[in-house]
Amino acid sequence: MTATVVSEVNRPYVPTGGAKLTAEIEVEPGRLEEPPTRQIALCIDASGSMAGNDIEQARAGAEWVFGLLDEDDYVSIIAFDNEVTTVLAPTRWGTISRETAVDAVADISAGGGTDMYSGLLEAKASLQDLPTDDNTARRVLLLSDGKDNSHDPEAFGTLAREIDTEGIRIKAAGIGSDYREETIRTLGTVARGEWTHLDAAGDIESFFGDAVEEAGTVVAPDARLELDVADGVEVSEVYRSLPQTQSVNPDWEDNTAVVPLPDLLDRETQRVVLKIHAPANDPQDAVSLADVTLHAGGETTRESITVDYTDDESKLAEHNEQVDVDHRQTVIKTELGKGNVAEAQTQLERMTRIHGEDTEAVQTAERETRIVMEGGRKEQNRATKIVTDEGIQK
């Protein structure tokens, strides 16, 4: 794998009285050396609203997944309506014929209400006892077009975190116009997952297939950054920025902030942006505000966030504007992804005052804010993506 970690701050020189800085940490995972073992749980809404083309395409999507699996991969299929049905118990793909798996999927039919919560619990259970190592990629792929009968988004947030602690990432997709967006978004963002809006049944196959193929590019599951901060240093406003924006509440262990990362994918850059308060200090060079350690794939990589303390006004004027822009862009995209257009507009106004209305990043943020304001779920979903099929959105 051989990952690298690089940090930057917006102000390399800090006044002796201290200052609040913006910092970013970029992780380059390196290359895939050995394909991971994939453990995939399909969690499919089979309620009455899925009847017709939606459930047919869900079955077709499951069959598409079968064609992507390797012998050592595992697959399970859970269907839920008012009740939960284990369509296919967790099975090593090399021990079952494709015909048997297809026959099991053919039995999925739509009818009844929507107990998505219990479906996710069963999907979690189907994976959590399987053998794993540092080269195992675990996924729950949730598909739903409706609203859970009895659980609110907050309950799903708690469940998503529990699933994440098992090393399982949730890919949640809402299809159509009647699903509860807040639930799907919560499942895909409160931990290290991802959410997707699907316009039509024809998108289901791509959703399943893309998620399974992506799992095959994992170079390190359960990666994390540890920031061991110096005395007096404070960390706040932490976001994962690349490839998808998500706010983060770090776990603290004494003076160390732990920032969980999504599974590192083959040659896919990840970025974390944050605010960091440098306390007062005497004039001196290369003061470490935080020692940064990446834990990934059984390896550790280290870096430091450092500044120089000075009262030299010419040095204090030096500024890396791009680090500020990255943080502000991330905050705006995160709010747009939640549908919080008013808060995104407030952040955009601040960005414009500081960086100017002619700045490319400001113009991009204005355009995206307008699109989300005039659009719907698809636009909110795209707003969180700094990396898209067309490359990096800047």
Side-chain angles (χ1 to χ4, degrees):
M1 180 181 69
T2 314
T4 59
V5 181
V6 177
S7 67
E8 288 189 89
V9 291
N10 67 328
R11 299 173 62 182
Y13 295 96
V14 178
T16 55
K20 190 173 185 178
L21 312 173
T22 305
E24 67 179 29
I25 304 165
E26 285 206 352
V27 176
E28 295 287 349
R31 304 191 63 169
L32 182 67
E33 296 173 359
E34 180 183 352
T37 299
R38 293 171 291 187
Q39 297 178 353
I40 308 295
L42 304 181
C43 190
I44 299 172
D45 186 341
S47 61
S49 57
M50 287 283 290
N53 198 31
D54 285 357
I55 202 67
E56 290 177 9
Q57 290 297 319
R59 289 193 292 259
E63 293 179 21
W64 181 254
V65 167
F66 298 156
L68 301 174
L69 297 174
D70 297 325
E71 283 193 357
D72 288 333
D73 295 334
Y74 282 80
V75 63
S76 60
I77 302 176
I78 308 300
F80 61 90
D81 47 40
N82 288 48
E83 299 179 349
V84 177
T85 301
T86 299
V87 177
L88 182 66
T91 304
R92 180 177 171 273
W93 187 243
T95 65
I96 187 174
S97 70
R98 180 185 177 89
E99 291 74 17
T100 300
V102 169
D103 287 345
V105 167
D107 290 335
I108 301 176
S109 59
T114 307
D115 190 354
M116 186 191 311
Y117 191 91
S118 295
L120 281 167
L121 280 176
E122 189 61 31
K124 169 192 172 186
S126 74
L127 297 182
Q128 67 184 132
D129 292 330
L130 295 178
T132 65
D133 56 24
D134 288 336
N135 198 35
T136 304
R138 315 177 87 188
R139 298 286 186 272
V140 167
L141 310 185
L142 171 76
L143 173 71
S144 179
D145 74 338
K147 307 173 182 68
D148 186 85
N149 293 336
S150 55
H151 295 83
D152 59 19
E154 184 177 352
F156 279 99
T158 300
L159 179 57
R161 294 183 186 95
E162 292 173 359
I163 291 173
D164 189 77
T165 61
E166 298 286 343
I168 301 168
R169 308 291 162 255
I170 298 174
K171 301 281 189 176
I175 180 171
S177 59
D178 293 331
Y179 67 89
R180 189 170 184 180
E181 175 195 326
E182 189 178 356
T183 295
I184 297 297
R185 187 180 63 239
T186 295
L187 286 169
T189 58
V190 299
R192 289 175 282 179
E194 186 174 345
W195 75 281
T196 300
H197 169 74
L198 306 181
D199 282 325
D203 299 326
I204 294 173
E205 188 173 287
S206 293
F207 165 63
F208 282 157
D210 291 349
V212 173
E213 289 185 330
E214 180 196 82
T217 69
V218 170
V219 298
D222 267 343
R224 69 185 187 278
L225 287 171
E226 293 183 354
L227 283 65
D228 186 6
V229 300
D231 290 341
V233 172
E234 297 177 4
V235 169
S236 62
E237 297 181 51
V238 183
Y239 292 83
R240 290 187 284 263
S241 176
L242 283 177
Q244 174 174 295
T245 63
Q246 293 176 316
S247 59
V248 181
N249 292 318
D251 297 320
W252 283 91
E253 300 173 0
D254 297 325
N255 286 339
T256 300
V258 180
V259 180
L261 297 177
D263 294 348
L264 301 188
L265 306 182
D266 181 37
R267 290 175 284 186
E268 179 182 79
T269 302
Q270 292 202 23
R271 180 189 297 146
V272 171
V273 295
L274 62 147
K275 296 291 185 179
I276 187 165
H277 182 268
N281 213 329
D282 297 328
Q284 54 186 300
D285 296 338
V287 176
S288 176
L289 301 178
D291 293 326
V292 181
T293 304
L294 170 69
H295 295 270
E299 301 178 7
T300 56
T301 306
R302 293 180 171 83
E303 168 72 345
S304 291
I305 299 175
T306 62
V307 295
D308 295 344
Y309 279 85
T310 183
D311 289 323
D312 185 330
E313 292 296 334
S314 62
K315 290 183 176 179
L316 291 174
E318 293 188 25
H319 184 242
N320 185 343
E321 186 176 26
Q322 187 59 50
V323 175
D324 270 334
V325 168
D326 287 344
H327 189 277
R328 292 185 182 278
Q329 181 189 43
T330 300
V331 174
I332 291 170
K333 282 179 169 289
T334 301
E335 296 302 329
L336 289 176
K338 296 176 182 178
N340 296 338
V341 176
E343 179 60 26
Q345 288 175 318
T346 298
Q347 295 294 334
L348 177 58
E349 289 170 3
R350 294 175 183 172
M351 188 179 184
T352 303
R353 287 197 302 270
I354 294 170
H355 301 289
E357 61 183 12
D358 294 331
T359 304
E360 182 180 354
V362 171
Q363 293 176 345
T364 299
E366 287 178 338
R367 183 169 58 253
E368 290 175 343
T369 301
R370 185 172 60 256
I371 289 171
V372 171
M373 187 163 48
E374 297 173 353
R377 293 170 171 176
K378 184 175 183 179
E379 288 73 23
Q380 289 177 25
N381 177 230
R382 179 179 169 82
T384 66
K385 307 293 199 307
I386 290 181
V387 174
T388 70
D389 292 341
E390 291 76 36
I392 295 180
Q393 296 185 150
K394 287 288 188 180

